[in-house]
Amino acid sequence: MADKGSGGSRLPLALPPASQGCSSGGSGSSAGGSGNPRPPRNLQGLLQMAITAGSQEPDPPPEPMSEERRQWLQEAMSAAFRGQREEVEQMKNCLRVLSQATPAMAGEAELATDQQEREGALELLADLCENMDNAADFCQLSGMHLLVGRYLEAGAAGLRWRAAQLIGTCSQNVAAIQEQVLGLGALRKLLRLLDRDSCDTVRVKALFAISCLVREQEAGLLQFLRLDGFSVLMRAMQQQVQKLKVKSAFLLQNLLVGHPEHKGTLCSMGMVQQLVALVRTEHSPFHEHVLGALCSLVTDFPQGVRECREPELGLEELLRHRCQLLQQHEEYQEELEFCEKLLQTCFSSPTDDSMDR
């Protein structure tokens, strides 16, 4: 559905239609074709073109560049710089929409149009900020301040989840942006959304942003620990939303593999007992990730092994029964491997008395 223009010219460019309601969504497209290469639209595209050309011609002959080739290259460079400037202008226009106050005394139709424009602006920004140069420019334009300060706590769920998604898109794998986002206090707000928001899509997108801020980011992980993030993650795994459960367990497993020094903290929180309780629930593909996290927790960690051996947990019997169920199902082979590894690690090793603390 195309945006309907509201009174006055609020936005000098056409925003893409925004998806409606509290539902997840993503946008992005790529164009390709045969024939002569099209000039790239930005610097990142120009760099990719150069890399591709270099890989195709590893040893080009040292001959002068033809006039036609020179002209094409000049046009490509000009188009790249022009495309980058155009995208910055698009981001500025989106930020103008997002910076405006909500219309006072507006009717229901006007408020709906206003929200649709804001959602469209957030979606366009998410698409543009897939490009790391644009993500950096967005932060220089104070866009992140606006997202964290206003939109993570917006009244409309469609604005909250799009803000969380945009924060994650900008932050992933870019240390400078991660540091800015953490400095603005975004992690506390994102954890609150994950833990308490009434909209499942908001919670899933908040988890995505959290993951982008704590994986391979020491400062983010320290904040996560101070804010009791592991407890929030465990509560997310106990929800009925499958996507939320799977992604929470996957993040927990990733953090355990990358930061084994926190295994003691997790054991002291009763994480072993809670993970085993999750494995006892009705079987689902989610169990693969729970068992993977449990494997990570006991690997090279005697305290975790001891807790798994507690008789009241009944883990050995549970794992042997699960192995019997899974052996006839090829689609559960990875879960079966985790069960077998846990049996080997926890129940085929020396007794507890012979293990070092």
Side-chain angles (χ1 to χ4, degrees):
M1 287 173 281
D3 283 338
K4 298 179 182 177
S6 54
S9 178
R10 297 188 57 189
L11 189 61
L13 83 162
L15 288 173
S19 2
Q20 300 299 312
C22 176
S23 60
S24 60
S27 60
S29 62
S30 60
S34 57
N36 293 329
R38 290 165 43 191
R41 293 181 62 244
N42 51 44
L43 294 178
Q44 193 164 308
L46 182 61
L47 176 60
Q48 183 60 48
M49 182 192 72
I51 293 171
T52 303
S55 64
Q56 290 171 346
E57 301 176 21
D59 298 302
E63 58 185 41
M65 184 182 294
S66 69
E67 186 58 34
E68 181 183 6
R69 179 72 173 172
R70 187 189 306 276
Q71 183 178 353
W72 183 89
L73 184 58
Q74 288 174 345
E75 289 176 358
M77 293 180 68
S78 176
F81 283 102
R82 185 171 61 251
Q84 191 76 25
R85 288 194 299 270
E86 289 172 355
E87 291 182 352
V88 170
E89 285 305 311
Q90 285 182 299
M91 289 192 289
K92 288 179 179 178
N93 288 331
C94 289
L95 287 171
R96 288 190 195 104
V97 171
L98 296 171
S99 299
Q100 294 179 50
T102 304
M105 307 297 291
E108 187 175 333
E110 187 178 351
L111 287 173
T113 300
D114 177 77
Q115 181 177 327
Q116 188 177 21
E117 286 190 2
R118 294 174 194 271
E119 289 177 353
L122 289 168
E123 289 191 357
L124 177 55
L125 285 168
D127 186 46
L128 291 170
C129 288
E130 292 283 352
N131 178 312
M132 288 190 293
D133 291 332
N134 285 340
D137 289 335
F138 173 75
C139 292
Q140 289 181 353
L141 293 168
S142 298
M144 199 59 72
H145 290 74
L146 189 62
L147 289 181
V148 176
R150 182 171 172 183
Y151 283 90
L152 278 183
E153 298 174 311
L159 296 176
R160 295 197 301 277
W161 77 250
R162 287 174 174 85
Q165 176 177 263
L166 181 51
I167 288 172
T169 298
C170 291
S171 300
Q172 52 188 341
N173 306 317
V174 185
I177 296 178
Q178 291 167 344
E179 290 164 8
Q180 183 186 86
V181 175
L182 292 167
L184 292 171
L187 190 56
R188 182 185 296 275
K189 294 183 178 182
L190 289 165
L191 284 167
R192 189 180 303 127
L193 291 178
L194 172 59
D195 209 23
R196 304 176 188 172
D197 203 277
S198 58
C199 175
D200 292 341
T201 304
V202 174
R203 300 173 74 186
V204 170
K205 299 297 185 180
L207 180 58
F208 163 64
I210 291 166
S211 177
C212 292
L213 291 171
V214 302
R215 293 176 63 180
E216 312 301 330
Q217 168 53 261
E218 194 63 37
L221 183 59
L222 289 175
Q223 267 198 37
F224 181 80
L225 289 167
R226 285 198 300 270
L227 295 169
D228 198 22
F230 280 121
S231 294
V232 176
L233 212 53
M234 172 51 68
R235 288 194 289 273
M237 283 191 282
Q238 295 168 338
Q239 300 304 310
Q240 298 305 310
V241 184
Q242 187 73 4
K243 183 180 288 189
L244 195 62
K245 293 166 68 170
V246 170
K247 290 181 179 294
S248 298
F250 182 79
L251 177 57
L252 175 61
Q253 183 180 1
N254 179 275
L255 293 176
L256 284 168
V257 170
H259 301 275
E261 67 273 17
H262 299 302
K263 291 181 181 181
T265 300
L266 287 166
C267 280
S268 68
M269 292 168 52
M271 187 63 75
V272 167
Q273 293 76 11
Q274 294 184 72
L275 290 174
V276 172
L278 287 173
V279 178
R280 287 191 179 279
T281 60
E282 183 179 356
H283 186 256
S284 79
F286 157 67
H287 286 170
E288 174 189 318
H289 304 282
V290 176
L291 288 163
L294 196 54
C295 272
S296 299
L297 192 54
V298 302
T299 299
D300 299 322
F301 192 60
Q303 181 184 346
V305 173
R306 282 194 297 272
E307 294 196 15
C308 284
R309 288 176 169 177
E310 291 293 331
E312 57 268 24
L313 274 185
L315 180 58
E316 182 176 11
E317 181 183 357
L318 174 63
L319 292 172
R320 294 193 186 282
H321 179 64
R322 183 63 55 86
C323 284
Q324 291 176 355
L325 289 176
L326 299 178
Q327 278 171 346
Q328 307 303 319
H329 298 276
E330 189 133 346
E331 66 272 26
Y332 295 128
Q333 283 309 296
E334 195 158 359
E335 182 181 346
L336 176 61
E337 289 171 11
F338 284 138
C339 289
E340 291 171 343
K341 182 178 178 183
L342 282 166
L343 284 169
Q344 176 67 31
T345 303
C346 300
F347 302 103
S348 299
S349 54
T351 61
D352 191 53
D353 293 338
S354 66
M355 287 195 302
D356 296 329
R357 288 190 63 83

